[in-house]
Amino acid sequence: MTKTGATPCDVSLIVNGEPRTVRAYPMERLLDVLRQQLGLTGTKEGCGEGECGACSVIMDGALVDSCLVPVLQAQGSNVVTIEGLGKDVRACALQETFLECGGAQCGICTPGMTLAAVHLLNEKPEPTMDDIRDGLAGNLCRCTGYVQIFEAVAAAARRGVAR
Amino acid sequence: MRSDPAEYDLVAPANLQAAVSLLASEPGRWLPIAGGTDLMVQFAAGTLRARKLISIARLPELRRTEVFAEEIEIGAGCTYTDVRKHDIVDSEFPMLARAASWTGGIANQNRGTLGGNIVNASPAGDSLPALLAYDADLILVSVRGERRVPYASFHTGYKKTKLAADELIRAVRLPRRFGGYFSHARKVGTRNAQAVSKVCIAALARMEDGTVQDARIAFGSIAPMPVRLAETERLLNRKRLDPSLVLLASKTAAAEVQPIDDIRSTARYRAAVAGNLVAEFLERLGETQRAPSEVLARWNGLPADEAENEILACCGSRVWARGMAARRPFLDEAAVLAASDETWRNLGESDWMEAFRSHPRIGESRAAQILSARSAAWSAQEQSNAAAADDAIKIALAEANRKYVRQFGRIFIVCAAGKTGSEILQILRRRLQNDDGAELREAAEQQRQITQIRLRKWLQG
């Protein structure tokens, strides 16, 4: 058992494939540690209460809202942020189709949308429209009206199938 | 205002024993935190009163599920995703699986836990009406040992429970005795995703000789805690299910609930919706009683491969046909039609394509993939109006069809029944303007309609 008190503790985790150790208060949000200590500002803060998905990251294979994760709970975990998707085949296809379909406008929701879409396509490489709606239901976009985003994900899935 | 993390203590014990020891060391001082989908929201808003928290998110003892002959045990630390993906929950406790699927978005489902939903004790908790209807028990653990508490007696008031200051919920137990029951769960909120419910129902009953037996009707968001409607249930039990009983039960339910006005809805609206949800439940329960058609009764009894081959004439996707055969027995036509839509929607693109290939191109008589004489005969009937079109239209159709194939790489699918050649030509020309994604969805919707028509023809012999 690790007793920590309200003093900073060392938290070791793997971020985008690299082992990192940060010193933080145990209740600090994973979101803040990623942005402020590790400089990974691709992860955005929207609502700060798990409603909007702007801060989505993939932790141990599961999509999570990093604003709801106390950093101590990320001890020993494997975290992938938008910066870690550079060479991911699905993320590259999504980047192309988001551009083609007009799936990104102001861009605040885009990193979270991309992670949610990658997570969805990892689980269901050939999603139906209902699967796409379900998979992205936790990510809010105030610009596009969603249709372009859903189409971009569907198009990326088709490209994945073709490959 | 946001809380200062420097003011909060958080520890992560390695096992359940260490966690309950810590809880017992200063009863009431330590607050367990699992996925944080409720507590981290309070933390963000600066309203989290507890200053010392114990992380129970990674305790292996809380994450297990076990299947016994008479009941299943779901660890309190199982996430909504765990619950949603559990085979036995999906087949025997479908209302719980559905509740898990409509809680927040995927990220919340990956973190939020069943135990958290219970101890948070919100009257709007999504999984709670299902737990009440299924007669769940809770296993509570502390350094003093374990005790088993019926979930129905766990909530004692608004956000109040029987959980002692040194206790954790270790697991939820569900009795496996509802296999023969009809179930109906529905959440009414402002929108489908990410909404807190205004009214939420989870209801079970079985039928015996046309009478309702063991009705179990649970609601969320209409009282200070999730409740069952005892009076409405009493009224229904052992009564013949007819329209007058449905009406009476609906009125009784609307009067029995005790909702309030709040930011999400009004008491009046909630009571009316509660009555309607009970009526909807009973109407669907009644539909299960209609005698199946002769065709359906015979098909229900076929070996799986024969059943699959027979229904394949209605829709040429093997995965669809296999899925339908696996979902037998069906009680009536409505159940077959509903299952077909659901199965179709959940297919992958390659399965859709396979179904498309089983149709002849409009204006031709041979499909790319001939499945059965019956399928070919139905195609001829469906396209009979188009076949009667004059030569100019036939030529234009053939040309537009070729263009479609070049553009989309597959044949043009339209529900041709009742449509003339020129109507189809108009539709075809419009759809040539679609992009890939929109066109695929439109074709899939057309195939869905074709399948529905064929299923009805088939079942009516």
Side-chain angles (χ1 to χ4, degrees):
Chain A
M1 193 172 87
T2 51
K3 177 84 174 79
T4 54
T7 47
C9 58
D10 287 332
V11 177
S12 298
L13 65 171
I14 294 170
V15 180
N16 299 331
E18 280 182 41
R20 307 294 293 257
T21 298
V22 293
R23 193 156 184 81
Y25 291 109
M27 275 293 278
E28 269 185 65
R29 305 180 305 172
L30 177 61
L31 168 66
D32 297 324
V33 171
L34 290 171
R35 287 179 57 88
Q36 291 161 16
Q37 289 206 38
L38 300 178
L40 297 169
T41 53
T43 305
K44 305 300 180 194
E45 172 157 20
C47 66
E49 54 182 41
E51 291 270 347
C52 78
C55 67
S56 301
V57 301
I58 294 175
M59 184 164 112
D60 292 332
L63 186 75
V64 303
D65 292 329
S66 61
C67 74
L68 297 185
V69 179
V71 71
L72 186 70
Q73 289 189 344
Q75 171 82 43
S77 67
N78 188 342
V79 173
V80 178
T81 71
I82 189 71
E83 291 89 347
L85 287 180
K87 294 188 182 105
D88 181 277
V89 184
R90 293 207 164 98
C92 293
L94 283 162
Q95 192 174 30
E96 288 168 19
T97 57
F98 265 68
L99 276 170
E100 289 161 18
C101 300
Q105 286 186 31
C106 86
I108 283 281
C109 75
T110 310
M113 284 286 177
T114 308
L115 281 149
V118 166
H119 181 259
L120 169 72
L121 295 179
N122 283 342
E123 297 217 327
K124 291 183 181 164
E126 293 183 52
T128 63
M129 231 356 127
D130 278 355
D131 292 333
I132 295 174
R133 286 174 184 278
D134 185 41
L136 301 188
N139 295 73
L140 302 186
C141 170
R142 303 286 77 165
C143 303
T144 63
Y146 300 103
V147 175
Q148 297 92 325
I149 293 174
F150 296 155
E151 283 175 355
V153 176
R158 281 198 297 279
R159 231 161 264 193
V161 170
R163 279 166 195 167
Chain B
M1 213 190 87
R2 177 170 304 156
S3 310
D4 179 357
E7 294 173 8
Y8 290 82
D9 203 353
L10 171 67
V11 298
N15 56 52
L16 183 61
Q17 188 56 44
V20 293
S21 298
L22 188 56
L23 276 176
S25 68
E26 295 172 273
R29 294 274 291 163
W30 291 89
L31 183 68
I33 177 170
T37 50
D38 287 307
L39 295 182
M40 289 302 284
V41 176
Q42 294 175 25
F43 177 72
T47 58
L48 182 59
R49 285 220 296 271
R51 285 291 189 269
K52 299 170 107 178
L53 296 105
I54 306 181
S55 174
I56 56 168
R58 297 247 184 114
L59 296 181
E61 297 93 335
L62 300 186
R63 196 75 185 263
R64 293 186 191 127
T65 59
E66 273 196 83
V67 179
F68 305 101
E70 305 284 311
E71 55 185 9
I72 67 165
E73 179 177 299
I74 307 172
C78 286
T79 63
Y80 294 103
T81 301
D82 296 336
V83 170
R84 204 180 161 176
K85 289 186 174 169
H86 193 278
D87 287 347
I88 304 274
V89 173
D90 191 48
S91 61
E92 294 180 32
F93 306 97
M95 297 194 295
L96 186 58
R98 290 204 64 197
S101 78
W102 65 39
T103 303
I106 298 295
N108 303 127
Q109 290 169 18
N110 284 338
R111 292 276 296 170
T113 63
L114 188 56
N117 204 218
I118 297 168
V119 289
N120 189 49
S122 160
D126 284 318
S127 68
L128 309 183
L131 295 179
L132 269 185
Y134 287 129
D135 223 4
D137 279 347
L138 304 180
I139 310 287
L140 310 182
V141 62
S142 70
V143 286
R144 295 169 288 136
E146 287 198 349
R147 61 177 179 139
R148 183 168 176 149
V149 175
Y151 175 62
S153 71
F154 184 69
H155 297 291
T156 55
Y158 177 72
K159 293 226 164 197
K160 289 203 166 73
T161 73
K162 280 189 175 162
L163 194 73
D166 64 346
E167 275 181 318
L168 280 176
I169 301 181
R170 185 179 63 74
V172 177
R173 293 241 179 165
L174 297 170
R176 303 177 70 186
R177 63 179 181 86
F178 298 106
Y181 282 62
F182 173 78
S183 71
H184 181 58
R186 187 164 170 192
K187 168 175 172 172
V188 177
T190 304
R191 56 193 188 279
N192 273 338
Q194 296 263 82
V196 177
S197 77
K198 296 172 193 251
V199 187
C200 178
I201 188 175
L204 285 170
R206 62 187 167 79
M207 293 294 287
E208 210 174 279
D209 301 327
T211 63
V212 181
Q213 301 288 329
D214 197 18
R216 312 173 63 83
I217 303 177
F219 270 96
S221 297
I222 49 84
M225 53 189 161
V227 289
R228 274 175 63 185
L229 303 189
E231 197 186 331
T232 308
E233 290 175 0
R234 257 198 312 277
L235 167 88
L236 285 166
N237 284 335
R238 292 176 298 283
K239 298 279 171 47
R240 182 152 296 281
L241 183 53
D242 58 25
S244 64
L245 184 70
V246 173
L247 192 65
L248 185 59
S250 167
K251 283 187 178 161
T252 307
E256 190 178 1
V257 297
Q258 305 168 318
I260 54 166
D261 291 333
D262 67 11
I263 52 163
R264 280 186 286 279
S265 190
T266 63
R268 209 169 134 228
Y269 176 81
R270 286 180 160 121
V273 170
N276 292 346
L277 288 171
V278 166
E280 182 179 70
F281 162 58
L282 293 172
E283 278 158 11
R284 297 208 179 162
L285 177 65
E287 281 167 16
T288 64
Q289 291 302 292
R290 288 193 209 119
S293 75
E294 264 174 53
V295 174
L296 188 55
R298 179 183 53 74
W299 184 70
N300 273 337
L302 288 180
D305 55 337
E306 287 176 39
E308 181 184 322
N309 282 331
E310 181 168 335
I311 203 169
L312 196 60
C314 299
C315 171
S317 151
R318 276 272 163 205
V319 176
W320 174 85
R322 199 168 305 140
M324 291 298 287
R327 291 179 70 156
R328 294 174 305 157
F330 288 102
L331 288 160
D332 57 16
E333 185 182 290
V336 175
L337 296 178
S340 168
D341 277 357
E342 197 187 317
T343 308
W344 178 247
R345 267 203 310 275
N346 287 311
L347 292 183
E349 207 175 299
S350 56
D351 303 314
W352 286 356
M353 297 293 183
E354 187 188 15
F356 298 164
R357 282 196 297 275
S358 70
H359 296 282
R361 207 181 285 191
I362 298 273
E364 293 179 7
S365 59
R366 283 173 59 89
Q369 205 177 44
I370 297 167
L371 288 167
S372 67
R374 175 180 261 166
S375 175
W378 278 339
S379 289
Q381 275 176 30
E382 287 156 2
Q383 300 184 12
S384 61
N385 286 351
D390 65 36
D391 285 352
I393 286 180
K394 279 184 183 162
I395 292 167
L397 260 178
E399 191 184 329
N401 254 312
R402 277 193 297 276
K403 191 168 173 206
Y404 184 97
V405 173
R406 276 199 306 277
Q407 190 169 326
F408 295 109
R410 60 171 185 271
I411 72 156
F412 170 66
I413 298 292
V414 64
C415 183
K419 294 190 179 85
T420 65
S422 74
E423 280 170 335
I424 290 173
L425 182 60
Q426 237 175 11
I427 294 168
L428 177 46
R429 285 181 173 153
R430 173 180 62 73
R431 282 172 51 186
L432 282 167
Q433 312 302 313
N434 279 345
D435 64 32
D436 276 3
E439 177 49 28
L440 181 67
R441 286 195 298 284
E442 197 157 347
E445 167 55 23
Q446 293 296 310
Q447 173 63 53
R448 187 194 68 78
Q449 292 178 18
I450 295 168
T451 308
Q452 294 275 310
I453 291 171
R454 288 186 172 193
L455 284 169
R456 281 198 204 98
K457 268 190 205 165
W458 169 60
L459 290 173
Q460 286 157 15

